[in-house]
Structure formats: C-alpha cells, structure tokens
Amino acid sequence: MADTFYRVHWSDCPEFSADNAWSTLWGADRDDARTGYSCTWDAEDLREYFAEHGEPDDDEIVILFEGRHVGQGFDGEPLAIPTRVVRTMTWAEFEKSL
C-alpha cells in the first residue's frame, strides 16, 4: 500500500514523475541530489514548512500524491517516489482547502 504525500512542485522544476524524483539543498547542484521528492506527510506539515520558509506564490502547484517513502531529505523531511497523482491544486486553492 502506498503512502500519501504533499509537495509544492515549483513551476521551474522538471516534470513531476518518478524519473525526475530527486532532491537537493536549496540552490545546490543536482550532483548533490538524494533520490525522491522532498515532501510532507500531510497538508498541515506543508503549510507549517512554508510558514517558516516563505510561502509560495498563489499560482505555484501543490501535488497530493501516492508514493513510496525512500528516505529523509536534507531538512529531515520525507523523500518519496511518486506512483500516482491524487490531486493537483494551486497554492491558493490549497490554502483555502485547509
């Protein structure tokens, strides 16, 4: 059974897919990447993360997806490889849904 995760997928990132699932520190080169997308276990964690780090623009995309947990990122966040997109929404829609 797959877990569910939330992620802001920035407009300048490669297409959201299992093949492109990697994570780096902000501003680092992909050579320093870890396997899996940086994400959160639930919506509230995603909102809290960006409350501390600066909220995305209203039109940035939030993806709720099923996937396989593969480790921890540089900030201690879960890393996951997606298997199925459940829902996509803008940051503004995500905020309204909470």
Side-chain angles (χ1 to χ4, degrees):
M1 184 170 156
D3 292 312
T4 57
F5 303 93
Y6 285 80
R7 168 183 173 72
V8 169
H9 195 73
W10 304 101
S11 56
D12 62 348
C13 287
E15 177 186 7
F16 184 83
S17 71
D19 290 339
N20 291 327
W22 52 272
S23 178
T24 65
L25 285 169
W26 292 69
D29 292 329
R30 186 169 178 184
D31 293 342
D32 302 323
R34 291 187 180 172
T35 300
Y37 283 123
S38 293
C39 53
T40 63
W41 292 105
D42 58 45
E44 192 58 39
D45 285 348
L46 188 67
R47 183 162 85 178
E48 287 177 18
Y49 179 85
F50 284 103
E52 292 178 25
H53 295 87
E55 290 189 2
D57 292 337
D58 284 346
D59 61 346
E60 289 292 350
I61 299 298
V62 175
I63 301 176
L64 168 59
F65 67 97
E66 291 180 347
R68 184 171 47 93
H69 181 240
V70 294
Q72 284 188 284
F74 295 97
D75 293 333
E77 78 281 10
L79 297 176
I81 297 176
T83 56
R84 182 175 83 88
V85 172
V86 175
R87 181 177 177 200
T88 61
M89 63 200 104
T90 65
W91 180 259
E93 292 168 332
F94 170 74
E95 286 276 273
K96 286 179 188 176
S97 74
L98 295 175

